[in-house]
Amino acid sequence: MLKVDSLTKNYGSKQVVVDVSFEISQGEVVGLVGENGAGKSTLLNILATLIPLEEGSINYNDLNYGADHRKLREKIGFVPQDIAVWEDFSVKENMVFFEQLSWVKKSRKELRQLCLDMKLDQWKEKTKSLSGGMKRKLNIAISLIHDPDILLLDEPTSGIDLKSRKEIGSYLYDLAKHNGKTIIYTSHDMEEIISLCDRVYCIGKDPFYKELLEKNGKSVQVL
Ligand SMILES: Nc1ncnc2c1ncn2[C@@H]1O[C@H](COP(=O)(O)OP(=O)(O)O)[C@@H](O)[C@H]1O
Ligand SMILES: [Mg+2]
């Protein structure tokens, strides 16, 4: 269980996340929506431990975000909004590089399979020669190397073709439902949110997303 209590984040005098509380159970796929600048990435970066917690508290099972950074990081897989891969490495070299940093060891075959699961079969190609969508597939594969319990995905499917997006979506959904992973992800694609998420958090007061999603039978909570 991931439990967020009274989380607030300011950038100078600007309040971005305001007194947010929520709970997410193991195995849930939760969408995070809201207009540009609403604070989705800020919230995901805090949950990924990349932005320090200032006000409020976050706990994952018995781990506390103030005290247990290292242990938490072992449990978190993160795909940032801005793609973070080594451009001059091949796909294989990227996977091996991040595997070597990881505390979970994977064979070359397993690493390759992770890429194939993401519908990426350009194993030997230089990353800089890949399209944006392919790089994003690589970024998702990298985030899965250490078998994280929690997956935080910031617009993971943007730029990915529709067919791959659907396949990756159902792969991630299975990871939640069969392997008990907890997934929180942002997307501007409401069809994807509707088909993939168990429920949705909406940041911001504009009723647009909430109304649209509720019309389509989604449970939406405004943060
Ligand atoms: N490092 C930063 N310093 C100052 N303001 C920031 C910083 N990062 C984000 N912001 C501001 O915080 C708000 C939320 O940004 P962000 O979390 O990226 O929103 P979203 O992902 O929903 O588009 C925006 O107004 C943005 O300009
Ligand atoms: Mg963002």
Side-chain angles (χ1 to χ4, degrees):
M1 164 87 70
L2 182 69
K3 193 168 185 301
V4 175
D5 280 305
S6 308
L7 177 68
T8 292
K9 169 71 192 168
N10 306 317
Y11 288 117
S13 59
K14 185 173 186 177
Q15 278 202 314
V16 177
V17 177
V18 188
D19 194 19
V20 158
S21 301
F22 59 85
E23 290 180 11
I24 300 179
S25 302
Q26 189 185 353
E28 277 196 294
V29 181
V30 174
L32 188 58
V33 303
E35 60 194 28
N36 295 134
K40 303 179 296 296
S41 295
T42 300
L43 178 55
L44 282 190
N45 277 285
I46 294 170
L47 294 175
T49 75
L50 298 176
I51 295 178
L53 188 60
E54 288 164 5
E55 279 184 72
S57 73
I58 311 178
N59 290 282
Y60 175 63
N61 295 336
D62 53 351
L63 299 177
N64 175 267
Y65 268 64
D68 304 308
H69 258 190
R70 214 189 126 73
K71 283 192 187 142
L72 278 162
R73 284 185 176 167
E74 293 181 7
K75 302 202 176 296
I76 294 168
F78 181 52
V79 176
Q81 184 170 337
D82 297 321
I83 294 168
V85 294
W86 295 104
E87 293 279 332
D88 286 323
F89 285 3
S90 67
V91 168
K92 176 186 172 186
E93 286 163 345
N94 263 292
M95 291 299 283
V96 171
F97 175 85
F98 285 103
E99 186 268 341
Q100 283 172 354
L101 293 182
S102 164
W103 38 90
V104 174
K105 292 299 142 201
K106 289 268 156 84
S107 67
R108 298 286 194 275
K109 193 165 168 238
E110 287 172 309
L111 293 175
R112 182 156 198 192
Q113 186 56 48
L114 266 182
C115 289
L116 293 174
D117 291 339
M118 292 306 119
K119 307 299 153 197
L120 179 65
D121 61 4
Q122 285 81 356
W123 185 239
K124 295 213 165 133
E125 269 180 49
K126 277 261 191 288
T127 301
K128 64 182 167 201
S129 70
L130 303 181
S131 72
M134 289 172 187
K135 287 180 196 173
R136 216 171 274 283
K137 290 175 181 179
L138 173 58
N139 225 166
I140 304 174
I142 288 169
S143 78
L144 294 169
I145 291 174
H146 61 292
D147 295 331
D149 288 357
I150 306 172
L151 269 175
L152 304 169
L153 310 170
D154 201 351
E155 301 189 25
T157 54
S158 92
I160 296 182
D161 64 88
L162 183 60
K163 182 161 174 277
S164 301
R165 221 185 308 159
K166 286 195 179 295
E167 288 170 346
I168 293 169
S170 62
Y171 178 88
L172 294 174
Y173 190 83
D174 278 353
L175 280 184
K177 300 305 161 190
H178 299 132
N179 298 46
K181 295 200 191 295
T182 302
I183 299 181
I184 309 174
Y185 90 106
T186 73
S187 176
H188 290 291
D189 181 339
M190 291 305 127
E191 264 182 47
E192 188 180 280
I193 292 276
I194 289 162
S195 70
L196 215 59
C197 294
D198 297 314
R199 56 198 180 87
V200 183
Y201 290 124
C202 179
I203 306 192
K205 301 228 174 336
D206 188 335
F208 176 80
Y209 292 105
K210 183 171 160 65
E211 284 174 12
L212 177 80
L213 292 164
E214 282 180 342
K215 256 186 222 152
N216 285 278
K218 284 285 119 175
S219 159
V220 182
Q221 189 186 330
V222 176
L223 295 180

